[in-house]
Amino acid sequence: MPAGRPLEFDPDAALEAAMQLFWRQGYEATSLQDLLREMRLSKSSFYQAFGSKHALFGRCIDHYRDSLARGMQQQLEAAPRAWDFIAGMLDSVAGEVQGEDARRGCLVMNTASEFGQSDAEVAARVKAGTARFRKVFLQAIKRAQAEGDIPAERDAGLLADYLVTNMSGLRSLTKAGASAAAIRRIAGVTLSALR
């Protein structure tokens, strides 16, 4: 950060507010004025702390990825069995159908859809995000195999990819208006395919 007056706001709170806004609206639909209002910053403070809208967006993707992966890891470690964690993760998507900020999908996958491969830096962040989520699912699959809930001969890496793909697909379905009941039915099929 360039030298100058000390910051008079909480950068973490401002980053969280920006992330929530990008998650609701997407990158293109979010203006600088939207960000300044949501983050409660002046233009000079914004540029001093975050540089640009694009730079801020990159930090928001990283913040989302790290927060979600950390939460997933904690849930896996706390789960009595890895199978419970996997089932809970799939079921959690059905819970996203209701609530104040329902049907937002996954910020990482939303970004993949919005940008595709048109921005190499954003594409790299999306790839890093999916890799982090896959890593947790891979740990869960291997643990579930050790616990006897998933056959040991199944390809753990392929099943981890399958779970990442299904979580993304389920979140996309919620954005498209699928009901919680429909999401739970599809999640049940996903679980049965693991065995």
Side-chain angles (χ1 to χ4, degrees):
M1 188 174 61
R5 294 176 53 197
L7 295 178
E8 297 173 357
F9 64 93
D10 180 346
D12 293 333
L15 182 65
E16 176 69 22
M19 184 198 78
Q20 294 292 335
L21 184 61
F22 281 130
W23 193 3
R24 284 194 306 273
Q25 299 185 174
Y27 179 81
E28 287 298 332
T30 300
S31 69
L32 178 59
Q33 280 308 119
D34 293 336
L35 288 165
L36 296 178
R37 183 174 55 253
E38 197 79 11
M39 298 167 78
R40 298 180 178 169
L41 295 181
S42 67
K43 194 178 282 190
S44 61
S45 293
F46 175 89
Y47 285 119
Q48 180 188 2
F50 299 105
S52 68
K53 175 185 166 182
H54 190 272
L56 171 64
F57 185 64
R59 287 178 62 177
C60 287
I61 296 172
D62 294 347
H63 175 60
Y64 176 89
R65 175 198 68 212
D66 294 343
S67 298
L68 183 56
R70 187 168 47 251
M72 290 171 65
Q73 189 69 49
Q74 290 168 350
Q75 289 175 55
L76 174 58
E77 290 168 6
R81 298 182 74 82
W83 184 262
D84 298 330
F85 163 78
I86 295 167
M89 285 298 299
L90 290 166
D91 188 67
S92 71
V93 181
E96 294 171 9
V97 170
Q98 281 118 20
E100 186 179 327
D101 291 314
R103 305 189 187 280
R104 289 191 295 177
C106 166
L107 178 59
V108 170
M109 294 306 179
N110 294 351
T111 301
S113 297
E114 184 173 0
F115 281 83
Q117 295 295 309
S118 66
D119 185 312
E121 182 185 334
V122 171
R125 284 187 149 96
V126 167
K127 186 176 181 181
T130 55
R132 283 284 298 277
F133 306 149
R134 181 188 186 274
K135 182 179 177 183
V136 180
F137 279 128
L138 182 60
Q139 291 174 15
I141 294 290
K142 288 181 175 179
R143 183 177 147 194
Q145 288 176 318
E147 292 169 347
D149 290 316
I150 294 175
E153 65 272 13
R154 300 292 303 275
D155 182 329
L158 184 60
L159 293 182
D161 289 334
Y162 176 71
L163 285 175
V164 170
T165 302
N166 274 270
M167 288 292 291
S168 171
L170 289 174
R171 286 202 164 110
S172 293
L173 285 173
T174 66
K175 286 185 71 177
S179 68
I183 296 297
R184 288 194 171 98
R185 285 195 298 271
I186 298 166
V189 174
T190 301
L191 286 172
S192 65
L194 297 176
R195 292 177 156 165

